[in-house]
Amino acid sequence: MSESVGASPQHSGASATMRGRQVVIVGGGPAGYEAALVARQLASEVTLVERQGVGGAAVLTDVVPSKTLIATAEWRSVIESADELGVHLDGATALPVDLGEVNARVRGLAAQQSADIRARLEREGVRVFDGAGRIVTAGVVQATAADGAESELDADVILVATGASPRVLSSARPDGERILTWTQLYSLTELPERLIVVGSGVTGAEFAGAFGALGCDVVLISSRDRVLPGEDPDAAALIEEAFRRRGMRVLSRSRAAAAERRGDSVVVTLEDGREVTGSHCLMAVGGVPNSAGLGLEEAGVALTRSGHVQVDRVSRTTVPQIYAAGDVTGVLPLASVAATQGRIAMWHALGDAVAPLDTRNVPANVFTAPEIATVGISAAAAAEHGARATTVPLARNARAKMQGIHEGFIKIIARDGDGTVLGGVVVGPRASEFIHVLTLAVTTRVTVDQLASAMTIYPSLSGSMAEAARQLHAAPSQR
Ligand SMILES: Cc1cc2nc3c(=O)[nH]c(=O)nc-3n(C[C@H](O)[C@H](O)[C@H](O)COP(=O)(O)OP(=O)(O)OC[C@H]3O[C@@H](n4cnc5c(N)ncnc54)[C@H](O)[C@@H]3O)c2cc1C
Protein backbone atom coordinates (compact mmCIF):
# COMPACT_ATOMS: atom_id res chain seq x y z
CA MET A 1 0.00 0.00 0.00
CA SER A 2 2.40 2.71 -1.01
CA GLU A 3 -0.59 4.45 -2.58
CA SER A 4 -2.86 6.11 -0.04
CA VAL A 5 -5.44 3.77 1.44
CA GLY A 6 -9.03 4.81 0.81
CA ALA A 7 -10.17 8.13 -0.57
CA SER A 8 -9.86 11.46 1.15
CA PRO A 9 -11.12 14.95 0.50
CA GLN A 10 -8.46 17.56 -0.15
CA HIS A 11 -7.60 19.59 2.88
CA SER A 12 -6.07 22.97 2.88
CA GLY A 13 -3.34 22.60 5.50
CA ALA A 14 -2.71 23.94 8.96
CA SER A 15 -4.15 27.10 10.42
CA ALA A 16 -2.07 29.01 12.95
CA THR A 17 -4.09 27.59 15.90
CA MET A 18 -3.40 23.97 15.03
CA ARG A 19 0.37 24.23 14.59
CA GLY A 20 2.82 22.50 16.90
CA ARG A 21 0.36 20.22 18.73
CA GLN A 22 1.85 16.98 20.04
CA VAL A 23 0.21 13.91 18.54
CA VAL A 24 1.07 10.39 19.69
CA ILE A 25 -0.26 7.50 17.64
CA VAL A 26 -0.17 3.96 19.01
CA GLY A 27 -0.17 1.45 16.15
CA GLY A 28 1.30 1.88 12.68
CA GLY A 29 -1.23 0.14 10.41
CA PRO A 30 -3.33 2.04 7.84
CA ALA A 31 -5.28 3.83 10.58
CA GLY A 32 -2.11 4.96 12.31
CA TYR A 33 0.17 5.82 9.41
CA GLU A 34 -2.46 7.64 7.37
CA ALA A 35 -3.36 9.64 10.49
CA ALA A 36 0.32 10.46 11.02
CA LEU A 37 0.57 11.90 7.50
CA VAL A 38 -2.48 14.10 8.03
CA ALA A 39 -1.21 15.30 11.40
CA ARG A 40 2.12 16.27 9.85
CA GLN A 41 0.31 18.06 7.03
CA LEU A 42 -1.45 20.02 9.78
CA ALA A 43 1.97 20.91 11.24
CA SER A 44 1.79 18.78 14.40
CA GLU A 45 4.70 17.06 16.11
CA VAL A 46 3.93 13.39 15.50
CA THR A 47 5.30 10.27 17.18
CA LEU A 48 4.09 6.92 15.93
CA VAL A 49 4.67 4.00 18.29
CA GLU A 50 4.66 0.62 16.56
CA ARG A 51 5.72 -2.69 18.08
CA GLN A 52 5.73 -5.02 15.07
CA GLY A 53 6.53 -3.05 11.95
CA VAL A 54 5.26 0.04 10.14
CA GLY A 55 2.34 -0.83 7.90
CA GLY A 56 0.85 -2.94 10.67
CA ALA A 57 -0.93 -6.22 10.27
CA ALA A 58 -2.39 -4.90 7.01
CA VAL A 59 1.03 -4.83 5.38
CA LEU A 60 2.91 -7.54 7.29
CA THR A 61 0.40 -10.35 7.83
CA ASP A 62 -3.04 -9.59 6.40
CA VAL A 63 -3.87 -7.59 3.25
CA VAL A 64 -0.54 -7.44 1.44
CA PRO A 65 0.59 -11.05 2.06
CA SER A 66 -2.83 -12.57 1.34
CA LYS A 67 -3.33 -10.62 -1.88
CA THR A 68 0.23 -11.40 -3.01
CA LEU A 69 -0.40 -15.11 -2.46
CA ILE A 70 -3.71 -14.77 -4.30
CA ALA A 71 -1.91 -13.11 -7.23
CA THR A 72 0.02 -16.37 -7.71
CA ALA A 73 -3.14 -18.43 -7.26
CA GLU A 74 -4.86 -16.34 -9.96
CA TRP A 75 -2.37 -17.55 -12.54
CA ARG A 76 -3.37 -21.10 -11.79
CA SER A 77 -7.09 -20.20 -12.01
CA VAL A 78 -6.61 -18.62 -15.45
CA ILE A 79 -5.19 -21.89 -16.71
CA GLU A 80 -8.63 -23.48 -16.16
CA SER A 81 -9.87 -21.93 -19.41
CA ALA A 82 -6.68 -22.56 -21.40
CA ASP A 83 -7.97 -25.68 -23.18
CA GLU A 84 -11.20 -23.93 -24.17
CA LEU A 85 -9.19 -21.09 -25.70
CA GLY A 86 -7.02 -23.53 -27.65
CA VAL A 87 -3.92 -23.41 -25.46
CA HIS A 88 -2.88 -26.93 -24.50
CA LEU A 89 -0.45 -27.52 -21.73
CA ASP A 90 1.58 -30.02 -23.74
CA GLY A 91 0.35 -33.02 -21.77
CA ALA A 92 1.26 -31.48 -18.43
CA THR A 93 -1.28 -32.59 -15.87
CA ALA A 94 0.10 -30.45 -13.08
CA LEU A 95 1.91 -27.16 -12.87
CA PRO A 96 3.96 -27.46 -9.72
CA VAL A 97 3.90 -24.54 -7.32
CA ASP A 98 6.95 -23.92 -5.15
CA LEU A 99 5.28 -22.58 -2.02
CA GLY A 100 8.67 -21.79 -0.48
CA GLU A 101 9.41 -19.48 -3.40
CA VAL A 102 5.92 -18.01 -3.40
CA ASN A 103 6.10 -17.29 0.33
CA ALA A 104 9.60 -15.81 0.06
CA ARG A 105 8.16 -13.37 -2.50
CA VAL A 106 5.19 -12.66 -0.22
CA ARG A 107 7.40 -11.91 2.79
CA GLY A 108 9.82 -9.86 0.69
CA LEU A 109 7.04 -7.75 -0.80
CA ALA A 110 5.49 -7.13 2.62
CA ALA A 111 8.85 -6.13 4.12
CA GLN A 112 9.53 -3.79 1.20
CA GLN A 113 6.10 -2.21 1.52
CA SER A 114 6.67 -1.68 5.24
CA ALA A 115 10.07 -0.08 4.53
CA ASP A 116 8.53 2.18 1.85
CA ILE A 117 5.84 3.41 4.25
CA ARG A 118 8.38 3.97 7.02
CA ALA A 119 10.62 5.96 4.66
CA ARG A 120 7.64 8.07 3.58
CA LEU A 121 6.68 8.79 7.20
CA GLU A 122 10.23 9.74 8.14
CA ARG A 123 10.53 11.92 5.06
CA GLU A 124 7.41 13.77 6.17
CA GLY A 125 8.92 14.30 9.62
CA VAL A 126 7.04 11.66 11.62
CA ARG A 127 9.11 10.23 14.47
CA VAL A 128 8.75 6.43 14.48
CA PHE A 129 9.29 4.78 17.85
CA ASP A 130 9.87 1.00 17.59
CA GLY A 131 8.17 -0.40 20.63
CA ALA A 132 4.91 -0.85 22.50
CA GLY A 133 2.72 2.04 23.59
CA ARG A 134 0.52 2.27 26.67
CA ILE A 135 -1.67 5.14 27.77
CA VAL A 136 -0.73 6.48 31.21
CA THR A 137 -3.12 9.43 31.24
CA ALA A 138 -5.07 11.28 28.55
CA GLY A 139 -1.91 13.36 28.04
CA VAL A 140 0.90 10.82 28.36
CA VAL A 141 1.84 7.64 26.48
CA GLN A 142 4.50 5.34 27.79
CA ALA A 143 6.55 3.74 25.00
CA THR A 144 8.66 0.69 25.73
CA ALA A 145 11.38 -0.25 23.25
CA ALA A 146 12.34 -3.86 22.49
CA ASP A 147 15.34 -3.57 24.85
CA GLY A 148 13.04 -2.47 27.69
CA ALA A 149 13.99 1.22 27.57
CA GLU A 150 11.00 3.36 28.44
CA SER A 151 10.06 6.84 27.29
CA GLU A 152 7.20 9.06 28.38
CA LEU A 153 5.62 10.89 25.45
CA ASP A 154 3.52 13.97 26.16
CA ALA A 155 0.47 14.27 23.97
CA ASP A 156 -2.20 16.87 23.24
CA VAL A 157 -3.91 14.21 21.14
CA ILE A 158 -3.62 10.42 21.32
CA LEU A 159 -4.80 8.08 18.57
CA VAL A 160 -5.31 4.41 19.42
CA ALA A 161 -4.84 2.44 16.20
CA THR A 162 -3.76 -0.94 17.50
CA GLY A 163 -5.76 -3.18 15.16
CA ALA A 164 -6.86 -6.73 15.84
CA SER A 165 -5.36 -10.22 16.10
CA PRO A 166 -6.62 -13.63 14.99
CA ARG A 167 -9.17 -15.16 17.35
CA VAL A 168 -7.77 -18.27 19.04
CA LEU A 169 -10.05 -21.04 20.34
CA SER A 170 -8.74 -22.76 23.47
CA SER A 171 -9.65 -26.12 21.90
CA ALA A 172 -7.71 -25.40 18.71
CA ARG A 173 -4.50 -23.65 19.70
CA PRO A 174 -2.26 -22.79 16.76
CA ASP A 175 1.19 -24.40 16.96
CA GLY A 176 2.65 -22.51 14.00
CA GLU A 177 3.45 -25.78 12.20
CA ARG A 178 0.24 -27.56 11.35
CA ILE A 179 -2.49 -25.68 13.19
CA LEU A 180 -2.12 -22.18 11.86
CA THR A 181 -3.56 -18.70 11.98
CA TRP A 182 -3.46 -16.72 8.74
CA THR A 183 -0.39 -14.88 10.00
CA GLN A 184 1.57 -18.16 10.11
CA LEU A 185 0.86 -19.39 6.58
CA TYR A 186 3.82 -17.58 5.06
CA SER A 187 6.46 -19.71 6.73
CA LEU A 188 5.21 -22.86 4.94
CA THR A 189 7.73 -24.10 2.38
CA GLU A 190 5.61 -26.91 0.93
CA LEU A 191 1.98 -27.04 -0.10
CA PRO A 192 -0.09 -28.80 2.55
CA GLU A 193 -1.27 -32.22 1.35
CA ARG A 194 -4.71 -31.47 2.70
CA LEU A 195 -5.58 -28.12 4.21
CA ILE A 196 -8.61 -27.92 6.46
CA VAL A 197 -9.91 -24.35 6.60
CA VAL A 198 -12.10 -23.65 9.61
CA GLY A 199 -14.35 -20.65 8.94
CA SER A 200 -16.06 -19.68 5.70
CA GLY A 201 -16.16 -15.90 6.13
CA VAL A 202 -14.12 -13.68 3.84
CA THR A 203 -10.71 -14.74 5.21
CA GLY A 204 -11.53 -18.47 5.20
CA ALA A 205 -13.05 -18.34 1.71
CA GLU A 206 -10.13 -16.36 0.25
CA PHE A 207 -7.50 -18.75 1.61
CA ALA A 208 -9.54 -21.87 0.78
CA GLY A 209 -9.89 -20.65 -2.81
CA ALA A 210 -6.24 -19.65 -3.11
CA PHE A 211 -4.80 -22.88 -1.71
CA GLY A 212 -7.23 -24.86 -3.85
CA ALA A 213 -6.03 -23.01 -6.94
CA LEU A 214 -2.40 -23.59 -5.93
CA GLY A 215 -3.08 -27.32 -6.11
CA CYS A 216 -3.92 -28.19 -2.54
CA ASP A 217 -6.66 -30.58 -1.46
CA VAL A 218 -8.88 -28.25 0.61
CA VAL A 219 -11.70 -29.01 3.03
CA LEU A 220 -13.69 -25.93 4.03
CA ILE A 221 -15.64 -26.17 7.27
CA SER A 222 -18.54 -23.77 7.49
CA SER A 223 -20.85 -23.48 10.47
CA ARG A 224 -23.50 -21.83 8.27
CA ASP A 225 -25.80 -23.01 5.47
CA ARG A 226 -23.49 -21.57 2.87
CA VAL A 227 -20.06 -20.03 2.57
CA LEU A 228 -19.65 -16.25 2.87
CA PRO A 229 -22.81 -15.75 4.94
CA GLY A 230 -22.34 -11.96 5.00
CA GLU A 231 -22.29 -11.59 1.21
CA ASP A 232 -24.96 -11.30 -1.49
CA PRO A 233 -26.63 -14.78 -1.50
CA ASP A 234 -26.40 -15.17 -5.32
CA ALA A 235 -22.70 -14.32 -5.20
CA ALA A 236 -22.02 -16.66 -2.28
CA ALA A 237 -23.89 -19.51 -3.99
CA LEU A 238 -21.83 -18.97 -7.14
CA ILE A 239 -18.56 -19.10 -5.20
CA GLU A 240 -19.58 -22.22 -3.31
CA GLU A 241 -20.49 -23.88 -6.61
CA ALA A 242 -17.11 -22.81 -8.09
CA PHE A 243 -15.31 -24.22 -5.04
CA ARG A 244 -17.08 -27.58 -5.34
CA ARG A 245 -16.54 -27.73 -9.11
CA ARG A 246 -12.81 -27.36 -8.56
CA GLY A 247 -12.86 -30.31 -6.16
CA MET A 248 -13.04 -28.56 -2.79
CA ARG A 249 -15.01 -30.35 -0.08
CA VAL A 250 -17.31 -27.83 1.58
CA LEU A 251 -18.85 -29.03 4.84
CA SER A 252 -21.84 -26.77 5.52
CA ARG A 253 -23.68 -26.52 8.85
CA SER A 254 -20.59 -28.06 10.43
CA ARG A 255 -19.19 -26.29 13.45
CA ALA A 256 -15.62 -27.16 14.43
CA ALA A 257 -15.29 -27.92 18.15
CA ALA A 258 -11.57 -28.69 18.35
CA ALA A 259 -8.39 -29.19 16.34
CA GLU A 260 -5.49 -31.28 17.56
CA ARG A 261 -2.21 -32.68 16.30
CA ARG A 262 -1.95 -36.42 15.86
CA GLY A 263 1.58 -37.09 14.67
CA ASP A 264 1.95 -35.54 11.24
CA SER A 265 -1.79 -35.00 10.91
CA VAL A 266 -4.33 -32.58 12.23
CA VAL A 267 -7.74 -33.82 13.28
CA VAL A 268 -10.61 -31.38 13.43
CA THR A 269 -13.54 -32.62 15.50
CA LEU A 270 -16.93 -31.23 14.60
CA GLU A 271 -19.61 -30.52 17.20
CA ASP A 272 -21.63 -33.54 16.00
CA GLY A 273 -18.62 -35.81 16.65
CA ARG A 274 -17.44 -36.24 13.05
CA GLU A 275 -13.71 -35.99 12.50
CA VAL A 276 -11.90 -34.45 9.53
CA THR A 277 -8.25 -35.31 9.05
CA GLY A 278 -5.75 -33.20 7.15
CA SER A 279 -2.06 -32.39 7.07
CA HIS A 280 -2.65 -28.77 8.14
CA CYS A 281 -5.47 -26.66 9.51
CA LEU A 282 -6.04 -22.95 9.07
CA MET A 283 -8.14 -21.37 11.79
CA ALA A 284 -10.01 -18.44 10.22
CA VAL A 285 -12.57 -17.70 12.91
CA GLY A 286 -12.35 -13.94 13.05
CA GLY A 287 -10.33 -11.40 14.94
CA VAL A 288 -10.22 -9.84 18.40
CA PRO A 289 -9.40 -6.17 19.01
CA ASN A 290 -5.96 -5.32 20.42
CA SER A 291 -7.40 -3.25 23.27
CA ALA A 292 -6.20 -5.12 26.36
CA GLY A 293 -3.28 -3.84 28.42
CA LEU A 294 -3.26 -0.44 26.74
CA GLY A 295 -4.45 1.48 29.79
CA LEU A 296 -7.66 2.43 28.00
CA GLU A 297 -10.20 1.69 30.69
CA GLU A 298 -7.94 3.22 33.37
CA ALA A 299 -7.89 6.42 31.30
CA GLY A 300 -11.69 6.38 31.10
CA VAL A 301 -12.04 5.12 27.52
CA ALA A 302 -15.20 3.01 27.16
CA LEU A 303 -14.98 -0.35 25.44
CA THR A 304 -17.86 -2.33 23.95
CA ARG A 305 -18.75 -5.80 25.25
CA SER A 306 -16.61 -7.28 22.47
CA GLY A 307 -13.60 -5.26 23.69
CA HIS A 308 -13.66 -2.75 20.82
CA VAL A 309 -13.02 0.92 21.55
CA GLN A 310 -16.28 2.87 21.39
CA VAL A 311 -16.03 5.69 18.86
CA ASP A 312 -18.36 8.13 17.15
CA ARG A 313 -18.28 9.03 13.47
CA VAL A 314 -15.36 11.42 13.91
CA SER A 315 -13.32 8.75 15.76
CA ARG A 316 -13.77 10.30 19.22
CA THR A 317 -13.66 7.96 22.22
CA THR A 318 -15.32 8.79 25.51
CA VAL A 319 -12.22 10.80 26.54
CA PRO A 320 -11.86 14.12 24.67
CA GLN A 321 -8.12 13.96 23.82
CA ILE A 322 -8.15 10.26 22.93
CA TYR A 323 -9.26 9.13 19.49
CA ALA A 324 -9.38 5.61 18.04
CA ALA A 325 -9.46 4.26 14.49
CA GLY A 326 -9.32 1.02 12.56
CA ASP A 327 -9.96 -2.59 13.54
CA VAL A 328 -9.66 -1.82 17.25
CA THR A 329 -12.96 0.07 16.91
CA GLY A 330 -14.79 -2.74 15.12
CA VAL A 331 -16.57 -0.30 12.79
CA LEU A 332 -15.77 -2.16 9.54
CA PRO A 333 -12.68 -4.38 9.32
CA LEU A 334 -11.22 -2.91 6.15
CA ALA A 335 -7.92 -1.14 5.56
CA SER A 336 -9.72 1.59 3.61
CA VAL A 337 -12.07 2.30 6.50
CA ALA A 338 -9.22 2.21 9.03
CA ALA A 339 -7.29 4.78 6.99
CA THR A 340 -10.35 7.01 6.63
CA GLN A 341 -11.12 6.85 10.36
CA GLY A 342 -7.49 7.73 11.13
CA ARG A 343 -7.53 10.76 8.84
CA ILE A 344 -10.91 11.90 10.18
CA ALA A 345 -9.57 11.64 13.74
CA MET A 346 -6.73 14.02 12.94
CA TRP A 347 -8.83 16.48 10.97
CA HIS A 348 -11.26 16.64 13.88
CA ALA A 349 -8.69 16.72 16.67
CA LEU A 350 -6.56 19.35 14.95
CA GLY A 351 -9.46 21.59 14.04
CA ASP A 352 -9.61 21.09 10.28
CA ALA A 353 -12.80 20.73 8.23
CA VAL A 354 -14.13 17.18 8.52
CA ALA A 355 -17.04 15.10 7.30
CA PRO A 356 -18.10 12.26 9.63
CA LEU A 357 -17.45 8.68 8.49
CA ASP A 358 -20.19 7.36 6.21
CA THR A 359 -20.07 3.57 6.01
CA ARG A 360 -22.96 3.31 3.56
CA ASN A 361 -20.81 3.82 0.49
CA VAL A 362 -17.84 1.65 1.42
CA PRO A 363 -16.91 -0.82 -1.33
CA ALA A 364 -15.70 -4.25 -0.24
CA ASN A 365 -14.21 -7.13 -2.15
CA VAL A 366 -13.78 -10.85 -1.62
CA PHE A 367 -10.66 -11.96 -3.49
CA THR A 368 -11.91 -15.36 -4.60
CA ALA A 369 -12.04 -16.57 -8.21
CA PRO A 370 -14.23 -14.96 -9.39
CA GLU A 371 -14.08 -11.94 -7.10
CA ILE A 372 -17.16 -10.55 -5.34
CA ALA A 373 -17.31 -6.77 -5.01
CA THR A 374 -20.16 -4.93 -3.34
CA VAL A 375 -21.17 -1.38 -2.50
CA GLY A 376 -24.18 0.34 -0.99
CA ILE A 377 -27.40 -1.36 0.06
CA SER A 378 -27.93 -5.07 -0.56
CA ALA A 379 -30.55 -6.54 -2.88
CA ALA A 380 -32.20 -8.05 0.22
CA ALA A 381 -32.67 -4.56 1.66
CA ALA A 382 -33.99 -3.12 -1.65
CA ALA A 383 -37.69 -3.37 -0.77
CA GLU A 384 -37.31 -1.48 2.52
CA HIS A 385 -35.55 1.34 0.63
CA GLY A 386 -38.23 1.47 -2.07
CA ALA A 387 -35.73 0.09 -4.56
CA ARG A 388 -35.45 -2.79 -6.99
CA ALA A 389 -32.59 -4.87 -8.31
CA THR A 390 -31.68 -6.28 -11.68
CA THR A 391 -29.00 -8.81 -12.55
CA VAL A 392 -27.17 -9.27 -15.85
CA PRO A 393 -25.19 -12.51 -16.11
CA LEU A 394 -21.73 -12.09 -17.64
CA ALA A 395 -22.23 -15.31 -19.62
CA ARG A 396 -24.20 -13.37 -22.22
CA ASN A 397 -21.55 -10.65 -22.59
CA ALA A 398 -19.57 -10.87 -25.85
CA ARG A 399 -16.18 -10.13 -24.25
CA ALA A 400 -16.85 -12.72 -21.54
CA LYS A 401 -17.57 -15.33 -24.21
CA MET A 402 -14.32 -14.47 -25.99
CA GLN A 403 -12.38 -14.79 -22.76
CA GLY A 404 -14.01 -18.03 -21.66
CA ILE A 405 -15.78 -16.42 -18.71
CA HIS A 406 -18.92 -18.41 -17.95
CA GLU A 407 -19.86 -17.26 -14.50
CA GLY A 408 -20.39 -13.97 -12.73
CA PHE A 409 -22.91 -11.18 -12.92
CA ILE A 410 -23.54 -7.51 -12.41
CA LYS A 411 -26.39 -6.54 -10.12
CA ILE A 412 -27.59 -2.97 -9.68
CA ILE A 413 -30.00 -1.80 -7.01
CA ALA A 414 -31.80 1.47 -7.77
CA ARG A 415 -34.55 3.48 -6.16
CA ASP A 416 -37.98 3.16 -7.78
CA GLY A 417 -39.16 6.34 -9.42
CA ASP A 418 -36.04 8.48 -9.81
CA GLY A 419 -33.71 5.53 -10.47
CA THR A 420 -30.93 6.66 -8.11
CA VAL A 421 -28.29 3.93 -7.84
CA LEU A 422 -28.23 2.74 -4.23
CA GLY A 423 -26.06 -0.33 -4.43
CA GLY A 424 -24.47 -2.96 -6.57
CA VAL A 425 -22.70 -6.30 -6.73
CA VAL A 426 -20.13 -7.37 -9.28
CA VAL A 427 -19.05 -11.00 -9.46
CA GLY A 428 -16.34 -11.61 -12.00
CA PRO A 429 -12.65 -11.35 -12.73
CA ARG A 430 -11.21 -8.10 -11.32
CA ALA A 431 -14.56 -7.16 -9.77
CA SER A 432 -12.51 -5.10 -7.28
CA GLU A 433 -11.57 -2.73 -10.12
CA PHE A 434 -15.03 -2.74 -11.67
CA ILE A 435 -16.93 -1.78 -8.54
CA HIS A 436 -15.45 1.70 -8.59
CA VAL A 437 -17.96 2.77 -11.24
CA LEU A 438 -20.82 1.73 -8.98
CA THR A 439 -19.15 3.26 -5.92
CA LEU A 440 -18.95 6.53 -7.80
CA ALA A 441 -22.60 6.19 -8.84
CA VAL A 442 -23.77 5.44 -5.28
CA THR A 443 -21.61 8.16 -3.70
CA THR A 444 -22.58 10.89 -6.14
CA ARG A 445 -26.22 9.77 -6.43
CA VAL A 446 -26.11 9.03 -10.14
CA THR A 447 -29.30 7.63 -11.69
CA VAL A 448 -29.47 4.46 -13.78
CA ASP A 449 -30.24 6.62 -16.82
CA GLN A 450 -27.08 8.67 -16.28
CA LEU A 451 -25.08 5.48 -15.78
CA ALA A 452 -26.52 4.01 -18.97
CA SER A 453 -25.82 7.18 -20.93
CA ALA A 454 -22.05 6.87 -20.47
CA MET A 455 -20.84 4.90 -23.46
CA THR A 456 -18.89 1.69 -22.83
CA ILE A 457 -16.23 0.02 -24.96
CA TYR A 458 -17.41 -2.75 -27.26
CA PRO A 459 -16.66 -5.50 -26.49
CA SER A 460 -16.13 -5.08 -22.75
CA LEU A 461 -17.46 -6.51 -19.51
CA SER A 462 -18.51 -3.00 -18.54
CA GLY A 463 -21.06 -3.20 -21.33
CA SER A 464 -23.05 -5.41 -18.93
CA MET A 465 -22.99 -2.62 -16.36
CA ALA A 466 -24.69 -0.30 -18.86
CA GLU A 467 -27.12 -3.08 -19.80
CA ALA A 468 -28.13 -3.56 -16.16
CA ALA A 469 -28.62 0.21 -15.83
CA ARG A 470 -30.79 0.25 -18.98
CA GLN A 471 -32.92 -2.57 -17.60
CA LEU A 472 -33.76 -0.40 -14.61
CA HIS A 473 -34.93 2.52 -16.77
CA ALA A 474 -38.42 3.43 -15.65
CA ALA A 475 -41.12 4.40 -18.14
CA PRO A 476 -42.35 7.99 -17.57
CA SER A 477 -45.62 6.67 -16.10
CA GLN A 478 -43.69 4.70 -13.44
CA ARG A 479 -41.57 7.62 -12.20
C1 LIG B 1 -6.22 -12.22 5.97
C2 LIG B 1 -6.78 -10.84 5.88
C3 LIG B 1 -6.89 -10.22 4.66
C4 LIG B 1 -7.39 -8.93 4.59
N1 LIG B 1 -7.53 -8.36 3.36
C5 LIG B 1 -8.03 -7.11 3.26
C6 LIG B 1 -8.18 -6.51 1.99
O1 LIG B 1 -7.90 -7.11 0.96
N2 LIG B 1 -8.65 -5.23 1.93
C7 LIG B 1 -8.97 -4.54 3.08
O2 LIG B 1 -9.38 -3.37 2.98
N3 LIG B 1 -8.84 -5.09 4.29
C8 LIG B 1 -8.39 -6.37 4.42
N4 LIG B 1 -8.24 -6.93 5.65
C9 LIG B 1 -8.55 -6.13 6.84
C10 LIG B 1 -7.36 -5.22 7.18
O3 LIG B 1 -6.22 -6.01 7.37
C11 LIG B 1 -7.64 -4.44 8.44
O4 LIG B 1 -8.89 -3.80 8.36
C12 LIG B 1 -6.54 -3.38 8.66
O5 LIG B 1 -5.32 -4.01 8.88
C13 LIG B 1 -6.89 -2.50 9.87
O6 LIG B 1 -5.89 -1.54 10.01
P1 LIG B 1 -5.50 -0.98 11.46
O7 LIG B 1 -4.59 0.17 11.20
O8 LIG B 1 -6.70 -0.78 12.26
O9 LIG B 1 -4.70 -2.15 12.18
P2 LIG B 1 -3.46 -3.06 11.80
O10 LIG B 1 -3.16 -3.11 10.37
O11 LIG B 1 -3.78 -4.34 12.51
O12 LIG B 1 -2.24 -2.36 12.54
C14 LIG B 1 -2.24 -2.19 13.93
C15 LIG B 1 -0.82 -2.13 14.40
O13 LIG B 1 -0.80 -1.74 15.77
C16 LIG B 1 0.29 -2.38 16.40
N5 LIG B 1 0.07 -2.41 17.84
C17 LIG B 1 -0.88 -3.08 18.54
N6 LIG B 1 -0.76 -2.81 19.85
C18 LIG B 1 0.30 -1.96 19.99
C19 LIG B 1 0.92 -1.34 21.08
N7 LIG B 1 0.47 -1.51 22.32
N8 LIG B 1 1.97 -0.54 20.85
C20 LIG B 1 2.45 -0.34 19.59
N9 LIG B 1 1.89 -0.92 18.51
C21 LIG B 1 0.82 -1.72 18.70
C22 LIG B 1 0.28 -3.77 15.79
O14 LIG B 1 1.57 -4.34 15.89
C23 LIG B 1 -0.08 -3.45 14.34
O15 LIG B 1 1.09 -3.32 13.58
C24 LIG B 1 -7.77 -8.24 5.76
C25 LIG B 1 -7.67 -8.86 7.00
C26 LIG B 1 -7.20 -10.16 7.06
C27 LIG B 1 -7.12 -10.83 8.39
Side-chain angles (χ1 to χ4, degrees), residues 1 5 25-33 48-64 66-67 129 131-134 142 160-166 182-183 186 202-204 206-207 290-294 325-329 332-339 341 363-365 367:
M1 275 181 283
V5 180
I25 297 171
V26 185
Y33 72 73
L48 184 136
V49 186
E50 168 55 55
R51 65 182 181 191
Q52 180 190 13
V54 173
V59 168
L60 295 169
T61 56
D62 297 357
V63 189
V64 171
S66 65
K67 266 78 255 184
F129 186 104
R134 189 176 181 286
Q142 184 180 65
V160 180
T162 48
S165 303
W182 60 78
T183 67
Y186 307 106
V202 176
T203 300
E206 287 188 351
F207 282 118
N290 296 328
S291 58
L294 280 174
D327 280 8
V328 75
T329 68
L332 260 184
L334 287 173
S336 48
V337 173
Q341 283 181 290
N365 193 63
F367 289 82

Side-chain angles (χ1 to χ4, degrees), residues 5 33-34 41 46 53 73 130 149 162 165 186 306 360 391 427:
V5 180
Y33 72 73
E34 292 289 348
Q41 192 182 38
V46 185
D130 297 306
T162 48
S165 303
Y186 307 106
S306 55
R360 288 172 306 178
T391 302
V427 180

Side-chain angles (χ1 to χ4, degrees), residues 116-458:
D116 287 352
I117 297 169
R118 186 183 184 111
R120 163 100 199 271
L121 290 172
E122 289 177 344
R123 212 167 44 239
E124 301 288 344
V126 175
R127 176 182 168 221
V128 178
F129 186 104
D130 297 306
R134 189 176 181 286
I135 294 170
V136 182
T137 67
V140 179
V141 171
Q142 184 180 65
T144 309
D147 63 4
E150 288 183 353
S151 307
E152 297 235 314
L153 309 171
D154 291 331
D156 299 310
V157 177
I158 295 172
L159 177 71
V160 180
T162 48
S165 303
R167 178 184 302 282
V168 170
L169 306 181
S170 57
S171 56
R173 292 212 170 274
D175 62 7
E177 283 182 10
R178 290 185 181 272
I179 303 178
L180 307 161
T181 68
W182 60 78
T183 67
Q184 297 168 328
L185 287 170
Y186 307 106
S187 52
L188 292 178
T189 51
E190 284 176 26
L191 271 184
E193 242 170 77
R194 173 182 287 169
L195 177 67
I196 305 169
V197 177
V198 176
S200 67
V202 176
T203 300
E206 287 188 351
F207 282 118
F211 275 91
L214 292 172
C216 218
D217 180 16
V218 174
V219 182
L220 178 59
I221 298 182
S222 170
S223 60
R224 312 289 281 272
D225 286 352
R226 58 171 170 79
V227 303
L228 293 167
E231 298 298 319
D232 177 86
D234 296 335
L238 190 151
I239 292 299
E240 186 164 332
E241 165 58 28
F243 280 174
R244 290 186 198 276
R245 194 182 62 241
R246 295 185 186 120
M248 190 187 297
R249 240 174 98 203
V250 181
L251 303 181
S252 311
R253 292 182 295 281
S254 302
R255 189 175 286 277
E260 57 169 335
R261 285 280 294 265
R262 288 194 199 154
D264 282 347
S265 301
V266 178
V267 177
V268 174
T269 308
L270 306 182
E271 274 185 351
D272 61 11
R274 280 177 296 159
E275 289 187 343
V276 183
T277 304
S279 61
H280 294 75
C281 169
L282 167 66
M283 297 300 297
V285 290
V288 289
N290 296 328
S291 58
L294 280 174
L296 289 167
E297 283 166 302
E298 296 85 332
V301 175
L303 303 183
T304 64
R305 284 181 60 184
S306 55
H308 292 98
V309 179
Q310 248 182 54
V311 284
D312 63 12
R313 289 175 59 212
V314 290
S315 309
R316 276 183 298 198
T317 69
T318 45
V319 175
Q321 304 93 310
I322 304 180
Y323 288 69
D327 280 8
V328 75
T329 68
V331 169
L332 260 184
L334 287 173
S336 48
V337 173
T340 305
Q341 283 181 290
R343 294 187 193 110
I344 286 176
M346 292 301 110
W347 287 324
H348 187 273
L350 300 173
D352 204 350
V354 62
L357 180 74
D358 184 353
T359 51
R360 288 172 306 178
N361 304 336
V362 175
N365 193 63
V366 186
F367 289 82
T368 40
E371 296 180 2
I372 304 174
T374 44
V375 68
I377 68 164
S378 65
E384 76 196 54
H385 285 85
R388 62 200 169 106
T390 194
T391 302
V392 173
L394 290 182
R396 65 182 194 221
N397 177 291
R399 186 89 191 277
K401 287 176 194 163
M402 295 165 197
Q403 293 181 323
I405 297 167
H406 302 291
E407 58 195 0
F409 58 80
I410 293 176
K411 188 182 279 192
I412 298 182
I413 301 126
R415 195 190 290 139
D416 279 328
D418 67 2
T420 305
V421 179
L422 299 181
V425 183
V426 178
V427 180
R430 299 273 182 270
S432 49
E433 307 290 347
F434 244 91
I435 197 71
H436 189 58
V437 174
L438 288 178
T439 305
L440 207 58
V442 170
T443 311
T444 58
R445 311 210 159 277
V446 162
T447 66
V448 283
D449 291 344
Q450 289 169 318
L451 190 58
S453 72
M455 218 179 273
T456 55
I457 301 287
Y458 181 82

